[in-house]
Amino acid sequence: MKRFAILGYPLGHTLSPKLHRLLAEQLGEQIEYSICAIPPEELEEHFEELFCLDGFNITIPHKMAVIPMVDRLDESARRYDSVNCVANVDGKLVGYNTDCD
């Protein structure tokens, strides 16, 4: 089973876990999708905890803060200087920006 999460703060309002589980179900897949509500001042300290995931979505206030923490950026993330998705690609964290695509 693939594991995903949403990273942001605060996240009490997020519908992401429910939405992504429903989408996965429609595709015939089972996923685990959790919430990682990490305050900005604790992001660097807790970022390694996300390495075990297959990927994670990012929302305010971390979209720019994660840039120096990923292994590389996709063209869209470089262009907009913002990351909203990170994928674990062969053990490397790759940042993307799908907000603009």
Side-chain angles (χ1 to χ4, degrees):
M1 179 181 309
K2 290 191 176 187
R3 298 175 59 215
F4 302 96
I6 182 161
L7 168 66
Y9 190 82
L11 288 174
H13 64 284
T14 187
L15 297 175
S16 288
K18 183 176 182 175
L19 292 173
H20 284 87
R21 281 190 212 113
L22 287 171
L23 288 170
E25 187 178 294
Q26 292 294 314
L27 296 170
E29 297 180 24
Q30 288 188 337
I31 64 167
E32 181 182 308
Y33 195 101
S34 57
I35 296 172
C36 294
I38 300 175
E41 63 275 7
E42 296 179 16
L43 179 61
E44 195 168 342
E45 172 186 345
H46 291 282
F47 194 74
E48 274 191 43
E49 296 170 15
L50 303 169
F51 288 16
C52 65
L53 299 172
D54 293 290
F56 52 97
N57 299 96
I58 302 165
T59 191
I60 305 275
H62 302 310
K63 290 184 175 197
M64 294 174 69
V66 300
I67 291 173
M69 298 178 195
V70 298
D71 296 304
R72 71 179 175 86
L73 296 175
D74 176 76
E75 180 183 327
S76 63
R78 278 194 312 273
R79 181 181 317 121
Y80 300 110
D81 199 30
S82 178
V83 173
N84 76 328
C85 295
V86 172
N88 187 331
V89 180
D90 298 323
K92 301 287 185 187
L93 296 181
V94 181
Y96 300 88
N97 185 313
T98 62
D99 286 336
C100 298
D101 290 343

